[in-house]
Amino acid sequence: MPELKKTASYAWWGIKLMYRANPRRAIFVLSVRLMESTLGPLLVWLSAMVIDGLIRDYSAFSERGLFFWMVVLFVILTILVEVLEPIVEMNKKLLTVQIQKHIDELLMEKANEFEDIAPFDDQNFYNKIKVIRHNDYVTELWLDMTSNTFGGLVQIIGGTILIWTVFPLAPVLFVIMALPRVFAEAKLNNVTFEGRAEVQELRRRSEYYMSIPLSHELANEVKMYGLTSFFKKKYKDASHELIKMLSGDQRKWTLHNMGWGIAEAAVSGMVLLLIVSQASSGGIAVGALLLFIGALYQLREGINELFAVFAIGAREMVNLRNMAEFLSFQSPKTSGSLPVPARIHQGFVLEQVKFSYKGQREILNIDHLMLPHGKVTVLVGDNGAGKSTLVKLLLRMLHADSGSIYYNGMPLEAYDMDAFRSNATAVFQDFVRYEATMNTNIAVGDMEHYKDMDAVMRSAVLGGADGIAAKLPQGYETELGRFFGGTPLSGGQWQRVAMARAYMRDQSAQVLVFDEPTSALDPYMEHEVMRRLKQLGQNKTVVIISHRLSTARLADHIVLLQEGNVLETGDHLTLMKRGGVYAELYDMQASKYQEAGHNQ
Ligand SMILES: Nc1ncnc2c1ncn2[C@@H]1O[C@H](COP(=O)(O)OP(=O)(O)OP(=O)(O)O)[C@@H](O)[C@H]1O
């Protein structure tokens, strides 16, 4: 029962969504559909009245009496609905697009509401949204389902009232028949089709395997290692499993529906027999018999319509549920109200900070760490040591499970989040390659100066991207990336563009975070980046992640992370003198460079 209540609330939520997408259009479509449904019972009633009237008094009809006008009314109504039908169809199509647009906007707004990136890390949660987004047909189906629900209800009510006038017991019989079916159906809905997590999981898997051989980004590897048949096999296995599951469900459904269909038909047949036998003994008028047969048809059609909605609804309700859950999800609000001071005296201080990704092992466990202001700090350490996770905590993309992070002596949560983020700039390891012009790719780094071409060009110089722009066919106005047929860039060139983007805020931001900014750059450029950051770092908190210790040695402060713990801190000379892990790693890298130098 609570499940039924939940489903009803999701359905209601869906109706409200349609209304909000375009109130006038939604009301128009639903009202015409209602009118169409009323026409069925009305037709039955009118026909019965006309026939009874004709039998009783033919002259009243031929003299254009009440019955004549009833026929005229019926013809007018039929024409009206016929004329309205294509208009409704058109409005339904447009409403579908508007609902989809409305949903897209809601999804974007919701994603923006999340203060941190944790919800995006939840595979199930986010993937579900992606699936909904790709199921455009669902919106149209919803619309049909909603209008059919109303239509079905009207037919049932109309049919019931009509039957009542002839055989009062019949509707009670049908209601008694329908009740167990409703419960059985609701129960079945929860255990079949898309309502099951396994079905959703298999769907996502098969979609993922299918996308690999078709993806542009993956084409190199797929061709290189000849992976198409490998992933095709995985796709086939997942799809096979999915089809097996769905056909089992389908069989259950068919048997279930057949059983109820036979029972209902038997009851209808018996009631009909009863009525016909009464009619043949003169107990019921011909018009009333016609009314009964027509009403019975209406009632059954209404019930079937409603159950069809129920059946499809159960399968598609999962989309509605996913969306409703996503949109009603409240991510924790941690933003404070403190503005970021114009002058910073102390950088980041971490005390007893522990962090693990949702339900997984501990990634960071830091007792005490200082990342000073006015200095360049480089984080070094093995792959998976937790460096990127640490900078995401500093930028409030993630929240520590316990412990505190202070900036300028105040806990991060005390600051107004937007103000704090505006006070920072970053190049992430997985920086974005926007399919847009070079200008846009850089300008989005500071939306306040989005149109400031001088700022864009100055940032391009700082990021080492000015040379790239100079060689592009339309300079800064050249579209980058392949998606819309623009100019593709190399990995290192994209990295320079991403750095230029970060430099858009170099004057306003006091926190600069660069996660492996030089991984795809040549050594000259790498040295240049470090030199610039050192210049900038004099009145900022600069944190860089790097695997190249030749870069790290230029920093004011080095932090070596190992398995989420701070192992060593200090400047290059201090750490070398100490002769610990950093010194060992540095010597190892240096000897490799020397070897390479000798071999050349
Ligand atoms: N979104 C995530 N969900 C769950 N685990 C994650 C997530 N991101 C990273 N991890 C795990 O956290 C650990 C630390 O990852 P992180 O990216 O912080 O390491 P890193 O030191 O930056 O590594 P690298 O030098 O390879 O970039 C890894 O073991 C990784 O598997």
Side-chain angles (χ1 to χ4, degrees), residues 312-324:
I312 302 168
R315 269 173 266 173
E316 305 305 336
M317 193 56 79
V318 68
N319 288 300
L320 201 56
R321 194 173 65 201
N322 286 344
M323 208 179 305

Side-chain angles (χ1 to χ4, degrees), residues 507-571:
Q507 288 176 0
S508 57
Q510 301 186 81
V511 175
L512 266 61
V513 171
F514 283 61
D515 190 347
E516 296 197 43
T518 54
S519 59
L521 300 187
D522 49 66
Y524 168 76
M525 188 59 200
E526 182 187 342
H527 194 268
E528 197 49 27
V529 168
M530 197 60 189
R531 196 184 58 78
R532 273 180 202 154
L533 286 175
K534 277 204 79 165
Q535 258 175 9
L536 276 172
Q538 283 165 14
N539 58 352
K540 297 190 192 295
T541 315
V542 182
V543 182
I544 305 172
I545 296 178
S546 180
H547 282 287
R548 295 190 198 172
L549 300 188
S550 52
T551 305
R553 68 177 299 210
L554 303 173
D556 306 304
H557 187 59
I558 297 166
V559 176
L560 174 71
L561 280 181
Q562 200 174 60
E563 295 184 0
N565 302 299
V566 175
L567 204 64
E568 292 170 16
T569 57
D571 63 15

Side-chain angles (χ1 to χ4, degrees), residues 380-481:
V380 297
D382 296 340
N383 292 128
K387 304 179 294 295
S388 298
T389 307
L390 173 58
V391 296
K392 283 178 191 160
L393 286 174
L394 300 180
L395 292 170
R396 296 187 60 187
M397 299 290 169
L398 296 171
H399 290 276
D401 301 333
S402 59
S404 302
I405 303 178
Y406 301 90
Y407 181 64
N408 202 39
M410 294 302 288
L412 284 190
E413 295 75 34
Y415 292 104
D416 173 79
M417 195 196 59
D418 290 337
F420 183 80
R421 292 236 175 97
S422 309
N423 184 47
T425 190
V427 179
F428 293 102
Q429 204 172 16
D430 49 356
F431 60 83
V432 184
R433 299 154 192 231
Y434 294 100
E435 303 280 338
T437 61
M438 170 95 169
N439 181 359
T440 303
N441 259 284
I442 298 174
V444 292
D446 184 0
M447 290 311 288
E448 279 180 27
H449 295 100
Y450 180 75
K451 297 214 161 120
D452 184 347
M453 199 56 210
D454 288 341
V456 168
M457 281 159 66
R458 192 185 48 79
S459 306
V461 172
L462 287 172
D466 51 329
I468 304 168
K471 289 190 195 123
L472 289 171
Q474 282 98 39
Y476 285 95
E477 290 314 313
T478 310
E479 286 277 341
L480 302 184

Side-chain angles (χ1 to χ4, degrees), residues 311-384:
I312 302 168
R315 269 173 266 173
E316 305 305 336
M317 193 56 79
V318 68
N319 288 300
L320 201 56
R321 194 173 65 201
N322 286 344
M323 208 179 305
E325 276 174 5
F326 182 84
L327 292 175
S328 57
F329 176 77
Q330 294 296 328
S331 66
K333 299 277 175 253
T334 55
S335 177
S337 55
L338 207 68
V340 180
R343 282 184 67 83
I344 300 294
H345 304 289
Q346 194 182 35
F348 292 101
V349 177
L350 289 84
E351 299 287 359
Q352 313 287 335
V353 169
K354 289 189 182 184
F355 176 81
S356 54
Y357 287 98
K358 207 175 169 198
Q360 291 171 20
R361 74 192 160 84
E362 196 168 83
I363 301 294
L364 287 175
N365 184 353
I366 298 174
D367 276 345
H368 172 83
L369 177 65
M370 225 180 125
L371 305 171
H373 186 68
K375 299 243 159 77
V376 173
T377 301
V378 173
L379 303 179
V380 297
D382 296 340
N383 292 128

